[in-house]
Amino acid sequence: MIKPYLKDFKPYPPGKPIEELRRELGIEGPIVKLASNENPFGPSPKAIEAIKEAAKDVHRYPDPSGYELKKALAQKLGVKPEEIVLGNGSNEVIDLLVKALLAPGDTALMSEPSFLMYEKFVQAAGGNIKKISLKNLRHDLFALAGAIDEKTRLLFLDNPHNPTGSIIKHHEFESWIKDLPKNILIVLDEAYIEFNEDPEIINGLKFKDHKPPVAILRTFSKAYGLAGLRIGYGIMNQALADVLNAIRQPFNVNSLALTAAKVALEDEKYFKQVLNTFLEERKRLTEALKRFGLKPYPSQANFILVEVGQSGQKLYQALLRKGVIIRNTEAYGFPTCVRISIGTPEENDFFLAKLKEVLNEA
């Protein structure tokens, strides 16, 4: 009875949890996880206090509309609350977009590689997946445009891109989108947008009502440190948002997440403090990796893709035995690279020390 296209469905390969590594290798000392692009500093202390207070009411269902959080987001972003769709992570918004726009046999376009969940949701819906290779580690916009046909409904762009950390610039996107068919949706995934320092990056919100329209995805999992509460959102034209809000599950975002996200959003002092440390550490790690003879690629995200000149899987395994979890990028099509998330200064020091040991041993 299982749908034929689900029989060989492979699950998303998440980063290895610290507890799992400790069980597998019996490591008793410190373990540093730099694999899942998390915020190691944690959320705003004010958000943690708000979670504790909100926990008293967890016997009640959450606000199904997320009114207060939408209001705060709308004010910050300059959009209408009705143009915002909240999700159990931005992943859920991707799933809702696929359900709303993609019928079995329709096509979704994406770069290769990209965030793996794009193709997972499309495959689960019985859609066709068409991938276009990156060009110089960046989205090849014109090759993507050339691949659009009468069955294309969705075009996914992660910006900054995962796993390379590259970006699309505003002027190139603006000239590109004006010639696209009007009956497709561009999904601009900005999960890492807060870490960008390049002033020329796309301002996605300016294209929300463009034809073709653009749906912008963002998350509280990365810069705001709320990955464990699973909350993200999409910004899109109201007609599309109305459809997604109609088909999503009721109470899809829990009450603790709604409360924490609003408080974290409002604590700008803590946010800027953490972000500045991230950017300093990204620069420091990049320079250190170069000194080790590796090739870190420029990144506008909270991770760095690194060419290691050997099997990335081999380096990944060697670091696991030292108590460091990084990301093997073989599944992304980069077998001689690894992806390293930016950690705290202390975590980064530990990683660099263990990396030096591994390279010396090799």
Side-chain angles (χ1 to χ4, degrees), residues 80 82-83 208-209 236-243:
K80 297 186 295 184
E82 295 80 12
E83 296 174 320
K208 170 175 56 67
D209 298 309
M236 61 202 75
N237 69 67
Q238 187 175 340
L240 180 57
D242 286 346
V243 173

Side-chain angles (χ1 to χ4, degrees), residues 223-236:
Y224 288 97
L226 294 174
L229 287 181
R230 308 305 302 126
I231 179 164
Y233 58 100
I235 310 140
M236 61 202 75

Side-chain angles (χ1 to χ4, degrees), residues 164-330:
T164 69
S166 64
I167 64 164
I168 305 169
K169 300 197 174 184
H170 190 91
H171 68 88
E172 60 188 356
F173 185 81
E174 189 171 37
S175 64
W176 171 75
I177 196 173
K178 64 183 176 60
D179 295 324
L180 297 186
K182 311 306 180 192
N183 61 339
I184 66 171
L185 178 73
I186 311 299
V187 182
L188 190 61
D189 187 348
E190 297 185 340
Y192 301 99
I193 193 71
E194 290 88 357
F195 303 101
N196 171 69
E197 292 186 287
D198 191 328
E200 295 186 35
I201 198 170
I202 305 167
N203 182 347
L205 293 174
K206 286 192 173 181
F207 298 95
K208 170 175 56 67
D209 298 309
H210 193 277
K211 295 201 182 324
V214 175
I216 300 97
L217 304 178
R218 294 190 180 180
T219 183
F220 285 93
S221 293
K222 309 301 181 185
Y224 288 97
L226 294 174
L229 287 181
R230 308 305 302 126
I231 179 164
Y233 58 100
I235 310 140
M236 61 202 75
N237 69 67
Q238 187 175 340
L240 180 57
D242 286 346
V243 173
L244 267 59
N245 278 316
I247 67 173
R248 65 175 172 79
Q249 293 189 44
F251 315 115
N252 62 323
V253 179
N254 71 76
S255 55
L256 302 186
L258 289 171
T259 298
K262 180 176 181 294
V263 175
L265 190 71
E266 293 169 344
D267 191 354
E268 294 187 2
K269 181 180 178 181
Y270 178 81
F271 175 79
K272 289 177 181 177
Q273 175 186 331
V274 167
L275 184 60
N276 287 338
T277 305
F278 259 118
L279 299 180
E280 290 168 3
E281 286 299 297
R282 184 173 70 191
K283 182 178 180 180
R284 183 171 77 95
L285 264 185
T286 299
E287 295 305 315
L289 291 165
K290 288 178 182 176
R291 289 196 296 272
F292 283 156
L294 306 179
K295 183 180 179 182
Y297 292 103
S299 173
Q300 294 295 338
N302 67 335
F303 55 80
I304 306 169
L305 182 70
V306 186
E307 171 63 54
V308 297
Q310 59 171 298
S311 165
Q313 170 71 5
K314 184 178 179 181
L315 180 62
Y316 164 76
Q317 292 291 344
L319 283 169
L320 282 183
R321 293 189 289 271
K322 300 283 186 179
V324 178
I325 309 172
I326 59 173
R327 186 73 160 183
N328 170 30
T329 54
E330 189 172 5

Side-chain angles (χ1 to χ4, degrees), residues 10 12 37 40 54 63 73 98 100 138 153-154 180 226 232 319 343:
K10 293 181 175 58
Y12 176 80
N37 304 337
D63 173 6
L73 283 168
V98 170
R138 301 179 72 230
R153 297 291 176 267
L154 292 164
L180 297 186
L226 294 174
L319 283 169

Side-chain angles (χ1 to χ4, degrees), residues 2-21:
I2 297 172
K3 296 173 183 176
Y5 54 82
L6 294 180
K7 288 185 177 179
D8 297 320
F9 194 93
K10 293 181 175 58
Y12 176 80
K16 184 181 287 292
I18 290 174
E19 297 77 12
E20 182 179 323
L21 179 60

Side-chain angles (χ1 to χ4, degrees), residues 327-340:
R327 186 73 160 183
N328 170 30
T329 54
E330 189 172 5
Y332 287 95
F334 293 109
T336 60
C337 291
V338 294
R339 190 189 69 193
I340 301 162

